[in-house]
Amino acid sequence: MVRIIAAGWLTFVVILSVSKSLGYGKWAWGSIEHFLGGNLQMHFVMAFILSALAHLASSRFWHRGWLLMLLITGCALDESVQFFFPLRNFNLLDFLVTCVGLLLAALPFMVAQWRILKKSYTPKR
């Protein structure tokens, strides 16, 4: 069930980004942006929720940082593509705030995975 919710959230975020790039749906993304308090807050919240859901939906292997790197790469691609759309522009601060949201949501999963790995490699006395 969590995987379905995570995939749905990812789809929702991608559709919002594409609609903003193409100049459609200002009522939707504009309302969300206004409700959350601005563009940077929207980037943070969307990324945080995406990362949390993705980590909940994935196996422990992905909690070693692979999923975080995949999410950061995807967000970097999304932000970079905006350079080519006349209605959008590349904003490094948007990308950095997105990365902070992704990282903060991933941190508990990565710490738990690190503890599991550390425990399994610690020699018994």
Side-chain angles (χ1 to χ4, degrees):
M1 183 64 168
V2 176
R3 288 183 179 170
I4 294 170
I5 295 170
W9 187 259
L10 176 62
T11 303
F12 174 70
V13 170
V14 168
I15 288 171
L16 277 180
S17 180
V18 169
S19 67
K20 190 171 183 179
S21 294
L22 298 176
Y24 297 110
K26 180 169 175 39
W27 61 270
W29 52 263
S31 298
I32 294 169
E33 189 175 300
H34 178 73
F35 175 76
L36 294 174
N39 182 50
L40 293 177
Q41 292 86 339
M42 182 178 70
H43 275 265
F44 177 83
V45 170
M46 295 288 186
F48 186 91
I49 294 170
L50 176 63
S51 183
L53 288 173
H55 279 86
L56 284 171
S58 65
S59 67
R60 286 188 190 163
F61 167 80
W62 290 97
H63 297 178
R64 295 180 186 172
W66 295 110
L67 182 57
L68 181 62
M69 291 307 298
L70 183 66
L71 291 170
I72 289 172
T73 302
C75 290
L77 286 171
D78 177 56
E79 194 67 36
S80 298
V81 166
Q82 293 176 17
F83 179 79
F84 300 103
F85 286 92
L87 299 175
R88 304 291 297 270
N89 60 341
F90 175 80
N91 187 337
L92 185 59
L93 187 57
D94 284 351
F95 177 65
L96 293 175
V97 169
T98 298
C99 288
V100 169
L102 293 172
L103 178 63
L104 286 178
L107 204 55
F109 297 96
M110 293 175 68
V111 168
Q113 182 64 22
W114 176 76
R115 288 180 145 200
I116 291 168
L117 288 173
K118 183 180 174 188
K119 191 176 185 179
S120 67
Y121 288 119
T122 304
K124 295 181 181 179
R125 295 181 184 188

